[in-house]
């Protein structure tokens, strides 16, 4: 459902926004996945999807159809946020989605501000305004966390990013600028604190001695990730040669490199 | 004295310091003297290396040992500095991107090398430039530890922080007072230790 639509509903009193059941459910979920074995975790997940229904029995049945719920901008952002947090590599930037959400946030905040200052706003409406504000803060939290996760990875791989054209296409212009500034800054710091004191032959940052990891940190795509299939996936080949067909709802632990494509297509999500 | 020392011993000390810093989760004082003696060792290794290279002869096996020592020392030096800058950046973000707050702390400041102060300043400038992208909607330097559950928060003032613009108008926070304020308005003050959640 669209934000504006939701807001209209709230305003007209037909729906009371929840202060964010989606996040709470997510938190519990993550605990389950790390503590339990796969089977139970996937049970928990399957139970979770229909869970909101009994909580709001008075809601019209097609009010939040399951499929549509998966595709609200917020749901999309939450998914990208989790993917980004779990993937060792930097995923493509979701610039349009982010800008749309931020626009919505701004418009909502402005509407809230107007309503708050309006003396004819009733007590009940003030209560609803507060809930909307809380939700706005919570969405901002996710956006912030998403942006900062990317920033962390960008700084970590800054020197790799400036030499790799492929990864640059996945960044926004601002992120690219930050990466090149950061790479330069790191080089500069190394130079003044260490390299300038070394003999000329040693004062470079691109040594490639044998049996030593390279000096440029690259994303480690062999890192294992938990994968949750959002739909039936095409057959994938595991490193030992075996193949795996993932049905909807399937959860597996495997190296990131194998599912990279599926994550990019949105067939699976990382959890 | 230097003769009795093995190649790479100093570098090991340096890396041990980094590891200790991680384990105790503290920033240790920048070990200037150790870094300097390592740089000296590198220079003497380099000159030892050049005396071994005689034109027209096959390089002696000792060459390999010295070259390995040089490479290792260099990587340890860089790792030590990279580890410190990582820590400094962590501290910077933990303070909500408030540079004066980090640099104003005498204890922290004393542990940093002058180059690291410069580094943090330049880093701050870079982050501020990036933040400006989002300035209208949200502050990306705010905390990302706990998702907000309430709009309002009851805080106790731990240190005077003067007049602050909030939703309720300007509030003069003085030590010992308690306020019910909007979280978004004062979150940075909690992070910097001026206010405390009750």
């Amino acid at each position: 459902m669209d934000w504006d639509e939701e807001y209209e509903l709230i305003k007209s009193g037909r729906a009371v926004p929840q202060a964010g059941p989606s996040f709470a459910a997510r938190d519990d979920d993550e605990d389950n996945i790390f503590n339990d074995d796969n089977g139970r975790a996937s049970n928990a997940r399957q139970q979770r999807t229909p869970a909101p229904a009994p909580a709001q029995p008075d809601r019209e049945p097609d009010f939040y159809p399951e499929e549509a719920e998966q595709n609200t901008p917020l749901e999309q952002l939450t998914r990208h946020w989790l993917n980004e947090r779990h993937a060792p590599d930097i995923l493509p930037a979701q610039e349009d989605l982010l800008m749309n959400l931020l626009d919505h946030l701004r418009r909502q905040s402005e509407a809230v501000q107007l309503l708050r200052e309006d003396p004819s706003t009733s007590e009940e409406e003030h209560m609803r305004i507060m809930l909307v504000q809380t939700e706005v803060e919570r969405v901002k939290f996710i956006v912030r966390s998403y942006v900062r996760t990317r920033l962390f990875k960008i700084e970590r791989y800054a020197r790799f990013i400036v030499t790799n054209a492929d990864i640059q296409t996945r960044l926004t212009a601002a992120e690219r600028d930050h990466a090149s500034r950061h790479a330069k800054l790191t080089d500069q710091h190394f130079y003044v604190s260490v390299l300038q004191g070394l003999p000329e032959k040693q004062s470079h940052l691109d040594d490639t001695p044998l049996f030593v990891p390279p000096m440029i940190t690259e994303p480690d795509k062999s890192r294992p990730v938990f994968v949750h299939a959002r739909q039936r996936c095409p057959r994938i080949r595991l490193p030992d040669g075996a193949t795996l067909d993932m049905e909807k709802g399937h959860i597996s632990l495997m190296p990131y490199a194998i599912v990279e494509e599926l994550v990019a297509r949105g067939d699976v999500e990382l959890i | 004295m230097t003769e009795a020392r093995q190649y790479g011993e100093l570098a090991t000390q340096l890396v041990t310091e980094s590891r200790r810093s991680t384990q105790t989760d503290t920033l240790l004082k920048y070990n200037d003297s150790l870094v300097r003696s390592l740089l000296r060792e590198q220079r003497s290794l380099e000159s030892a290396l050049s005396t071994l290279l005689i034109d027209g002869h096959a390089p002696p096996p000792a060459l390999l040992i010295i070259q390995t020592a040089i490479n290792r020392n260099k990587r340890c030096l860089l790792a030590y500095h990279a580890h410190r800058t990582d820590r400094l950046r962590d501290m910077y973000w933990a303070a909500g991107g408030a540079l004066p707050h980090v640099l104003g702390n005498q204890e922290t400041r004393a542990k940093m090398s002058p180059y690291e102060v410069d580094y943090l300043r330049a880093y701050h400038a870079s982050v501020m430039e990036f933040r400006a992208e989002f300035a209208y909607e949200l502050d990306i330097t705010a905390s990302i530890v706990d998702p907000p559950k309430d709009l309002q928060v009851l805080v106790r003032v731990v240190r005077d922080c003067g007049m602050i613009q909030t939703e309720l108008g300007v509030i003069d926070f003085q030590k010992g007072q308690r306020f019910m304020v909007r979280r978004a308005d004062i979150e940075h003050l909690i992070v910097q230790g001026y206010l405390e959640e009750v």
Side-chain angles (χ1 to χ4, degrees):
Chain A
M1 183 163 54
D2 197 59
W3 272 78
D4 288 333
E5 224 178 285
E6 187 173 337
Y7 180 65
E8 285 306 314
L9 282 168
I10 292 160
K11 226 171 72 175
S12 61
R14 278 169 53 210
V16 178
Q18 290 238 316
S22 48
F23 314 139
R26 283 277 174 191
D27 284 356
D28 294 346
D29 242 24
E30 258 179 36
D31 288 345
N32 276 340
I33 283 148
F34 289 115
N35 296 334
D36 293 359
D37 56 300
N38 267 358
R40 277 178 62 197
S42 91
N43 271 346
R45 185 159 271 280
Q46 275 155 11
Q47 279 161 13
R48 186 180 66 86
T49 336
Q56 296 122 19
D58 52 338
R59 188 169 273 173
E60 294 156 48
D62 59 343
F63 202 75
Y64 274 130
E66 205 180 300
E67 284 310 307
E69 191 184 14
Q70 287 296 312
N71 288 316
T72 62
L74 179 57
E75 283 286 338
Q76 286 176 35
L77 179 70
T78 311
R79 204 167 60 236
H80 288 302
W81 171 51
L82 286 177
N83 283 349
E84 193 71 64
R85 288 196 55 137
H86 291 115
D89 201 3
I90 302 176
L91 301 176
Q94 303 295 326
E95 231 175 340
D96 291 344
L97 175 67
L98 207 59
M99 287 308 135
N100 277 337
L101 257 175
L102 288 177
D103 278 347
H104 278 301
L105 283 181
R106 198 175 57 227
R107 261 177 294 173
Q108 284 231 309
S109 304
E110 281 164 7
V112 160
Q113 206 57 40
L114 276 178
L115 278 172
R116 278 167 60 90
E117 283 161 7
D118 186 354
S120 63
T121 308
S122 74
E123 195 55 36
E124 202 185 332
E125 277 169 326
H126 270 297
M127 187 65 195
R128 292 200 190 106
I129 289 172
M130 209 186 80
L131 292 173
V132 172
Q133 278 180 305
T134 312
E135 185 69 10
V136 166
E137 289 300 321
R138 291 178 70 90
V139 175
K140 279 186 183 174
F141 173 85
I142 295 187
V143 175
R144 213 155 58 209
S145 180
Y146 173 73
V147 172
R148 290 266 293 273
T149 308
R150 289 181 65 85
L151 204 60
F152 172 80
K153 289 195 215 173
I154 287 165
E155 285 173 6
R156 191 185 159 113
Y157 305 128
R159 299 190 59 227
F160 175 66
I161 291 170
V162 290
T163 58
N164 185 305
D166 173 48
I167 200 168
Q168 284 179 20
T169 60
R170 281 179 262 149
L171 304 181
T172 67
E175 287 171 338
R176 268 197 302 276
D177 290 349
H178 186 76
S180 60
R181 282 197 303 265
H182 195 78
K184 217 170 124 203
L185 179 60
T186 316
D187 283 2
Q188 176 72 16
H189 181 66
F190 282 153
Y191 180 74
V192 292
S193 1
V194 182
L195 301 174
Q196 69 173 357
L198 293 177
E200 161 64 23
K201 268 192 201 157
Q202 303 174 20
S203 61
H204 300 284
L205 268 178
D206 47 6
D207 300 355
T208 47
L210 294 173
F211 313 119
V212 180
M215 292 189 112
I216 297 175
T217 317
E218 286 181 33
D220 173 15
K221 291 188 182 178
S222 64
R223 213 178 73 185
V225 289
F226 277 103
V227 180
H228 173 233
R230 299 178 62 229
Q231 60 196 58
R232 216 189 121 82
C233 299
R235 174 167 297 186
I236 49 171
R237 189 167 283 279
L238 300 176
D240 63 355
T243 54
L244 176 68
D245 290 303
M246 291 199 289
E247 295 295 332
K248 189 179 175 185
H250 182 95
I251 293 183
S252 268
L253 179 66
M254 60 182 80
Y256 173 73
I258 296 178
V259 287
E260 200 179 350
E261 294 274 304
L262 295 180
V263 172
R265 285 219 308 265
D267 288 354
V268 297
E269 59 186 354
L270 305 181
I271 49 176
Chain B
M1 185 187 97
T2 333
E3 265 43 68
R5 208 165 52 208
Q6 283 190 4
Y7 290 143
E9 207 174 293
L10 291 175
T12 309
Q13 281 179 35
L14 207 57
V15 174
T16 312
E17 259 192 40
S18 294
R19 192 166 294 147
R20 219 173 274 153
S21 158
T22 305
Q23 279 167 351
T24 55
D25 200 23
T26 44
L27 181 75
L28 301 177
K29 188 167 164 29
Y30 184 74
N31 200 334
D32 197 36
S33 61
L34 195 51
V35 170
R36 273 171 204 282
S37 25
L38 253 172
L39 291 179
R40 265 200 304 279
E41 186 182 344
Q42 288 294 76
R43 279 197 290 270
S44 62
L45 283 174
E46 188 71 35
S47 54
L49 199 65
S50 54
T51 57
L52 282 178
L53 286 172
I54 306 156
D55 281 339
H57 288 265
L63 192 76
L64 188 66
I65 308 259
I66 295 180
Q67 190 60 54
T68 311
I70 288 178
N71 284 339
R72 180 175 184 278
N73 282 347
K74 182 175 164 187
R75 283 305 276 269
C76 291
L77 269 170
L78 292 175
Y80 176 74
H81 287 85
H83 178 266
R84 287 186 64 88
T85 51
D86 283 352
R87 272 220 85 81
L88 289 172
R89 286 209 309 277
D90 284 352
M91 288 169 64
Y92 170 81
W93 284 106
L99 186 69
H101 185 67
V102 179
L103 292 182
N105 186 333
Q106 287 307 320
E107 211 182 314
T108 315
R109 185 68 180 261
K111 287 176 180 161
M112 292 163 68
S113 80
Y115 294 132
E116 284 170 337
V117 176
D118 291 345
Y119 171 84
L120 213 52
R121 285 218 173 94
Y123 179 69
H124 176 67
S126 176
V127 170
M128 286 302 119
E129 203 169 309
F130 183 75
R131 184 176 84 152
E133 285 286 303
F134 301 89
Y136 197 71
E137 285 88 7
L138 80 170
D139 179 4
I140 60 149
T141 57
S143 163
I144 48 166
V145 182
D146 296 307
K149 290 206 163 60
D150 299 302
L151 217 48
Q152 307 280 331
V153 59
L154 183 62
V155 291
R156 191 159 57 93
V157 184
V158 189
R159 272 190 290 159
D160 286 358
C161 46
M163 313 293 263
I164 304 291
Q165 180 73 43
T166 71
E167 190 187 35
L168 310 163
V170 178
I171 299 184
D172 182 13
F173 287 97
Q174 286 181 356
K175 193 174 170 178
Q177 292 173 324
R178 287 179 183 222
F179 293 97
M180 191 74 176
V181 280
R182 222 181 105 174
R183 179 181 284 276
D185 288 338
I186 50 88
E187 183 142 46
H188 58 289
L189 295 173
I190 298 182
V191 170
Q192 291 170 32
Y194 286 102
L195 306 180
E196 214 176 69
E197 269 186 72
V198 182

